């Protein structure tokens, strides 16, 4: 989407919110990132310093694929942080149904409370993958596994802080970014400027849509803080990083900086995606995450099973 695109009420509201927060420090959230090197995922605890109201974004459940065992070490780091800082969790948010890690949302809800939320387009992802995994009629494809489904432009609060949900499809149909105060949590749309952008070849993904979603985000004020869901350390960089700004992305993103046309991006993204292997944990991750992070119902022996469709993708 060009920067002179038609009026965008949701983006305009998010822009006004960011500018208010930049002018008033009391409207800026406190943010802690928790990096899981096994999946290269960053989870966040975002809170309002005035009221201690908090949101958890994109949590990780540890999963040993060889043994088929889950554990809660990554999630317990978040629990410890929340309890140590006496925070009250209002939201447990997923930017999308992740293909590279399993969500720890149900465990964190049990420990800390909060509403589990995701974008409404999760129903499209549930439909596609419900068929792939032959989930049957018992698997509801209506998003009812979540407490709240966000629509584009929806507003929410975190104590005294304002938040706005922005639909940014392309990586998947259901991706959302969440702007809280002067910070935007942008999921898998972009990585650090030296690494580029997310893939768009999963079912329902679309490189052209991804470009337009990214350009939409890059119309936010230049000093908007952007918090990423992943980092893989670009060549020549020895440390992990997951915070950048709109201005840094516009001037330096190797895939989509200012001056990159939509057609150039689509050609690059399509060619690059054709060389990428599927994420190692895509089968367990998507199968569980479309259920809101819950394992499939146990079978008659009391054990839950992850299905692996053979020669189907």
């Amino acid at each position: 989407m060009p920067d002179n695109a038609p009026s965008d009420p949701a983006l305009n509201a998010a822009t006004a919110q960011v500018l208010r927060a930049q002018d008033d420090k009391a409207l800026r959230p406190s943010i802690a990132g928790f990096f899981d090197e096994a999946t290269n995922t960053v989870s966040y605890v975002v809170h309002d310093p005035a009221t201690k109201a908090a949101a958890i974004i994109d949590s990780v459940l540890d999963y040993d694929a060889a043994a088929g065992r889950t554990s809660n070490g990554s999630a317990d780091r978040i629990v410890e942080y929340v309890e140590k800082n006496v925070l009250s969790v209002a939201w447990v948010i997923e930017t999308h149904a992740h293909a590279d890690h399993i969500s720890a949302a149900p465990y964190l809800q049990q420990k800390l409370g909060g509403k589990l939320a995701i974008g409404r387009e999760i129903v499209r992802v549930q439909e596609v993958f419900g068929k792939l995994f032959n989930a049957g009629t018992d698997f509801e494809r209506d998003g009812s596994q979540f407490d709240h489904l966000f629509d584009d432009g929806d507003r929410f609060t975190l104590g005294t802080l304002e938040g706005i949900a922005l639909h940014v499809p392309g990586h998947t149909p259901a991706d959302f970014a969440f702007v809280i105060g002067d910070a935007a949590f942008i999921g898998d749309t972009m990585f650090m400027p030296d690494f580029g952008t997310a893939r768009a070849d999963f079912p329902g993904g679309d490189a052209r849509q991804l470009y337009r979603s990214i350009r939409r985000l890059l119309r936010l004020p230049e000093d908007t803080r952007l918090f990423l869901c992943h980092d893989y350390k670009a060549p020549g960089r020895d440390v992990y990083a997951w915070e950048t700004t709109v201005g840094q992305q516009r001037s330096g993103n190797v895939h989509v900086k200012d001056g990159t046309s939509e057609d150039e991006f689509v050609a690059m993204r399509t060619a690059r995606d054709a060389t990428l292997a599927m994420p190692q944990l895509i089968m367990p991750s998507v199968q569980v995450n479309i259920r809101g992070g819950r394992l499939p119902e146990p079978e008659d022996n009391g054990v839950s099973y992850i299905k692996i469709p053979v020669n189907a993708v």
Side-chain angles (χ1 to χ4, degrees):
M1 182 179 293
D3 292 343
N4 60 353
S7 180
D8 182 333
L11 186 67
N12 292 344
T15 296
Q17 174 188 293
V18 168
L19 292 174
R20 284 195 300 272
Q22 290 175 346
D23 287 340
D24 185 348
K25 290 183 179 180
L27 300 178
R28 302 179 195 174
S30 176
I31 300 164
F34 298 82
F35 186 70
D36 177 60
E37 190 167 355
T39 62
N40 295 94
T41 302
V42 192
S43 306
Y44 297 98
V45 177
V46 189
H47 80 266
D48 173 15
T51 67
K52 300 285 191 173
I56 299 168
I57 300 176
D58 290 336
S59 62
V60 175
L61 182 72
D62 300 320
Y63 180 68
D64 180 342
R69 297 195 66 85
T70 64
S71 57
N72 300 309
S74 295
D76 281 336
R77 293 167 58 207
I78 291 175
V79 173
E80 180 181 6
Y81 177 85
V82 168
E83 292 179 343
K84 179 179 179 180
N85 289 277
V86 197
L87 306 181
S88 176
V89 175
W91 295 96
V92 180
I93 293 173
E94 302 290 344
T95 56
H96 62 294
H98 305 275
D100 41 33
H101 70 270
I102 296 174
S103 169
Y107 176 78
L108 290 169
Q109 273 194 302
Q110 179 187 0
K111 291 284 188 178
L112 302 170
K115 289 184 178 180
L116 175 57
I118 199 168
R120 187 173 300 280
E121 294 301 309
I122 187 62
V123 299
R124 291 180 57 192
V125 179
Q126 288 177 329
E127 184 64 30
V128 169
F129 284 98
K131 291 178 180 177
L132 177 64
F133 293 117
N134 198 28
T137 57
D138 290 340
F139 172 57
E140 299 291 344
R141 296 159 169 83
D142 58 2
S144 58
Q145 299 85 353
F146 300 84
D147 301 316
H148 184 83
L149 301 180
F150 283 107
D151 290 305
D152 185 53
D154 277 356
R155 298 177 184 235
F156 60 100
T157 58
L158 196 62
T160 61
L161 303 183
E162 299 175 329
I164 294 180
L166 298 176
H167 187 208
V168 286
H171 174 61
T172 78
D175 282 63
F176 265 70
F178 295 90
V179 183
I180 302 173
D182 68 329
F185 300 86
I186 63 172
D188 284 16
T189 52
M190 288 177 283
F191 302 133
M192 290 299 288
D194 57 0
F195 200 88
T197 59
R199 65 194 299 165
D201 60 333
F202 294 150
D206 186 291
R208 200 166 295 278
Q209 247 188 354
L210 178 60
Y211 177 87
R212 295 174 184 180
S213 292
I214 290 171
R215 295 311 305 180
R216 186 189 194 201
L217 289 173
L218 294 183
R219 289 167 59 204
L220 289 166
E222 285 202 353
D223 290 335
T224 305
R225 294 185 289 164
L226 301 181
F227 291 87
L228 318 178
C229 190
H230 297 288
D231 187 55
Y232 303 95
K233 292 197 293 192
R237 174 159 56 85
D238 294 328
V239 296
Y240 291 109
W242 49 80
E243 180 180 351
T244 179
T245 67
V246 166
Q248 289 167 346
Q249 293 282 14
R250 290 187 66 156
S251 65
N253 188 291
V254 294
H255 292 167
V256 73
K257 65 185 177 183
D258 286 358
T260 306
S261 73
E262 183 172 316
D263 286 343
E264 288 171 337
F265 176 81
V266 171
M268 177 282 301
R269 191 69 265 170
T270 302
R272 183 176 176 85
D273 289 351
T275 70
L276 300 177
M278 285 290 103
Q280 189 174 11
L281 296 182
I282 186 171
M283 294 304 174
S285 295
V286 174
Q287 201 166 159
V288 174
N289 291 339
I290 59 175
R291 293 174 164 86
R294 298 172 186 87
L295 295 173
E297 286 296 316
E299 298 192 8
D300 56 12
N301 62 354
V303 177
S304 293
Y305 289 87
I306 298 292
K307 291 182 178 179
I308 306 295
V310 177
N311 298 327
V313 294

